[in-house]
Amino acid sequence: DPLERALLQLQQRLAALDAARLPAESVAIWLQRIAAHWPQQRAAMLRLASLDDRQRYAADADPQQRTEMKALCRQLLRQLPRRRVK
């Protein structure tokens, strides 16, 4: 699933930046927790968190929201550094 791959890439990138997702944390809670540390990406992170909550608990997946989620993941991957700056 392309969306799941994009979310996994985002999780890996953020883990490399010391913003790893905790084991019992949903994607939405994780993004809400770390958004304050990334002010320029905060809006995209919070939008992705909101969409993830809607998709996870919806009876049927909304293709337009899934497309937006993939685009937000790609945007964040472009904007975030690849590794932590010392």
Side-chain angles (χ1 to χ4, degrees):
D1 175 1
L3 175 56
E4 291 301 318
R5 282 193 299 274
L7 284 168
L8 180 60
Q9 286 179 315
L10 183 59
Q11 287 182 62
Q12 291 169 339
R13 173 76 56 86
L14 285 162
L17 298 170
D18 293 333
R21 183 175 163 195
L22 301 175
E25 215 169 25
S26 71
V27 169
I29 297 297
W30 166 61
L31 289 170
Q32 290 166 4
R33 175 176 59 85
I34 66 169
H37 301 289
W38 302 96
Q40 292 181 333
Q41 290 79 24
R42 183 176 186 274
M45 287 180 176
L46 294 178
R47 177 67 180 155
L48 183 55
S50 172
L51 290 170
D52 184 71
D53 260 352
R54 287 185 206 163
Q55 288 296 297
R56 269 203 211 284
Y57 302 110
D60 295 311
D62 180 331
Q64 287 181 321
Q65 287 184 359
R66 290 179 59 82
T67 299
E68 184 179 353
M69 290 174 72
K70 286 185 282 188
L72 286 166
C73 287
R74 286 193 303 269
Q75 174 188 333
L76 289 166
L77 287 166
R78 279 192 311 271
Q79 293 175 345
L80 292 166
R82 293 194 179 275
R83 59 184 74 86
R84 190 170 48 132
V85 178
K86 294 180 181 183

